[in-house]
């Protein structure tokens, strides 16, 4: 019986800690001035990056690729948009290189 009480108490504490941390993370993200939205474009996906609710970047194709090749998935567009936001927040040039695309396993419809 003590084991069952211990398991229930541990699970309850774990769930409580999870929800407290989720709330903290969501509050922190709400304070970030940058966010992205994934957009559908002809033949695939792209992204918009906003700063304080103003459009900063409209990317309708995979950066660093020749031509206008869209992202093949919304997930790939999100990964690159998140990398761009991360670079901007660190004060770095937001340009994306082919090496970074390879590291993120970005696949295009042109591949």
């Amino acid at each position: 019986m003590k084991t069952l009480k211990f398991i229930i108490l541990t699970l309850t504490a774990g769930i409580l800690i999870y929800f407290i941390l989720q709330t903290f993370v969501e509050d922190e993200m709400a304070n970030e001035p940058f966010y992205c939205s994934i957009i559908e474009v002809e033949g695939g996906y792209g992204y918009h990056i906003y700063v304080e609710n103003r459009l900063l970047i409209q990317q309708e194709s995979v950066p660093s690729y020749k031509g206008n090749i869209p992202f093949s998935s919304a997930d790939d567009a999100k990964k690159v948009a998140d990398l761009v936001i991360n670079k901007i927040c660190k004060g770095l040039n937001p340009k994306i290189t082919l090496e970074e695309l390879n590291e993120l396993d970005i696949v295009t419809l042109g591949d």
Side-chain angles (χ1 to χ4, degrees):
M1 191 67 177
K2 288 182 180 181
T3 304
L4 180 61
K5 286 182 182 179
F6 176 76
I7 291 172
I8 291 172
L9 181 61
T10 303
L11 286 173
T12 303
I15 291 170
L16 181 62
I17 290 170
Y18 170 80
F19 283 111
I20 290 171
L21 289 176
Q22 273 307 106
T23 302
F24 175 75
V25 168
E26 288 173 4
D27 288 346
E28 285 297 308
M29 290 185 74
N31 293 330
E32 282 292 319
F34 293 97
Y35 66 93
C36 69
S37 66
I38 305 308
I39 58 172
E40 286 190 47
V41 298
E42 186 176 331
Y45 298 89
Y47 59 83
H48 289 165
I49 294 179
Y50 297 87
V51 59
E52 296 177 355
N53 296 321
R54 291 188 318 257
L55 182 62
L56 177 67
I57 297 172
Q58 179 174 328
Q59 188 69 42
E60 296 183 357
S61 60
V62 179
S64 296
Y65 272 55
K66 291 182 180 180
N68 290 324
I69 301 171
F71 290 94
S72 60
S73 73
D75 185 52
D76 282 355
K78 175 81 166 99
K79 288 191 282 189
V80 174
D82 288 344
L83 177 59
V84 170
I85 290 172
N86 187 293
K87 286 179 152 191
I88 292 170
C89 288
K90 291 181 177 178
L92 301 174
N93 184 338
K95 181 180 178 187
I96 300 298
T97 65
L98 289 174
E99 289 97 16
E100 290 169 323
L101 293 173
N102 289 332
E103 289 171 7
L104 294 173
D105 293 322
I106 302 302
V107 178
T108 65
L109 299 175
D111 286 346

